[in-house]
Amino acid sequence: MKRIVLLRHGESLWNKENRFTGWTDVDLSEKGVEEACKAGDALREAGFSFEAAYTSYLKRAVKTLNCVLDRLDEDWIPVEKTWRLNEKHYGMLQGLNKSETTVQYGEEQVHIWRRSYDVAPAPVGKDDPRNPGMDIRYAGVPDRELPRTESLKDTIGRVMPYWKCIIFPALMYKDSLLVVAHG
């Protein structure tokens, strides 16, 4: 049987602080590390084994994957990291406390930014440190492809080609894949 397991990263420090994270590279909290280890234990106990894994460039997903693979004793399997699996870019909301943002902009507007299909928050500026073009990780990615904000529609447009062209076709020659990414 062919299987793809999708796993969200453990709690990050900004999840704990109720902040919009997006492409900001925030580490796992202690609880997040525990969650990642428990996920690995649960996968092991359920008899899972993987031949390859995929993750984003963001350390909360990478570290979750590393914890899981360690618990499975599969640290050796090939891992492909890609910016295309990064979380939705929250633009100018990145780093802001969600409760404070709701007070400032209203519950309805924050809900629209977070959950609507095609409405994105305001973008970060070209010189804003939250602009992925300022990060060495994305130096090889054409600037026109790097988001400064994203709606769900934009995020799907970034992730789905990778899913369709890389991950899904890997099932032709592999039986079990693990994808550790974002919500």
Side-chain angles (χ1 to χ4, degrees):
M1 172 177 25
K2 304 281 187 172
R3 293 196 267 199
I4 299 177
V5 173
L6 305 176
L7 180 64
R8 182 192 181 270
H9 64 79
E11 179 189 69
S12 75
L13 293 169
W14 279 14
N15 294 145
K16 183 178 177 179
E17 295 173 6
N18 198 32
R19 297 187 178 282
F20 289 98
T21 310
W23 282 39
T24 305
D25 201 18
V26 179
D27 212 340
L28 292 174
S29 66
E30 282 185 37
K31 178 182 176 185
V33 172
E34 290 173 17
E35 291 171 339
C37 291
K38 284 180 183 177
D41 291 341
L43 288 167
R44 185 187 67 245
E45 289 166 13
F48 280 87
S49 180
F50 299 100
E51 295 172 77
Y54 302 86
T55 191
S56 76
Y57 275 179
L58 302 172
K59 70 173 97 177
R60 57 194 180 272
V62 173
K63 288 186 175 184
T64 297
L65 173 61
N66 290 341
C67 288
V68 168
L69 293 179
D70 183 61
R71 296 297 218 197
L72 293 169
D73 198 24
E74 293 183 350
D75 305 78
W76 54 271
I77 69 168
V79 173
E80 188 167 323
K81 297 173 189 163
T82 177
W83 63 277
R84 293 197 177 274
L85 293 178
N86 280 10
E87 184 174 348
K88 172 184 168 180
H89 195 299
Y90 278 99
M92 63 89 175
L93 297 178
Q94 288 187 171
L96 300 180
N97 179 282
K98 293 174 186 176
S99 300
E100 293 169 4
T101 304
T102 299
V103 169
Q104 183 176 353
Y105 294 101
E107 190 173 328
E108 184 177 339
Q109 181 61 59
V110 172
H111 182 76
I112 289 169
W113 284 329
R114 292 186 72 197
R115 302 294 182 223
S116 71
Y117 182 67
D118 58 359
V119 177
V124 295
K126 186 168 177 73
D127 296 326
D128 190 304
R130 297 171 294 181
N131 172 5
M134 306 282 283
D135 189 322
I136 189 129
R137 270 177 279 223
Y138 310 107
V141 181
D143 189 60
R144 69 184 177 280
E145 293 185 39
L146 291 174
R148 292 192 181 100
T149 189
E150 288 178 304
S151 64
L152 179 57
K153 180 181 178 181
D154 299 327
T155 307
I156 290 169
R158 168 172 49 84
V159 172
M160 286 310 292
Y162 188 81
W163 177 265
K164 289 178 182 176
C165 296
I166 304 296
I167 296 174
F168 193 70
L171 286 175
M172 289 174 46
Y173 54 92
K174 302 213 184 280
D175 289 329
S176 191
L177 306 174
L178 175 61
V179 179
V180 179
H182 306 272

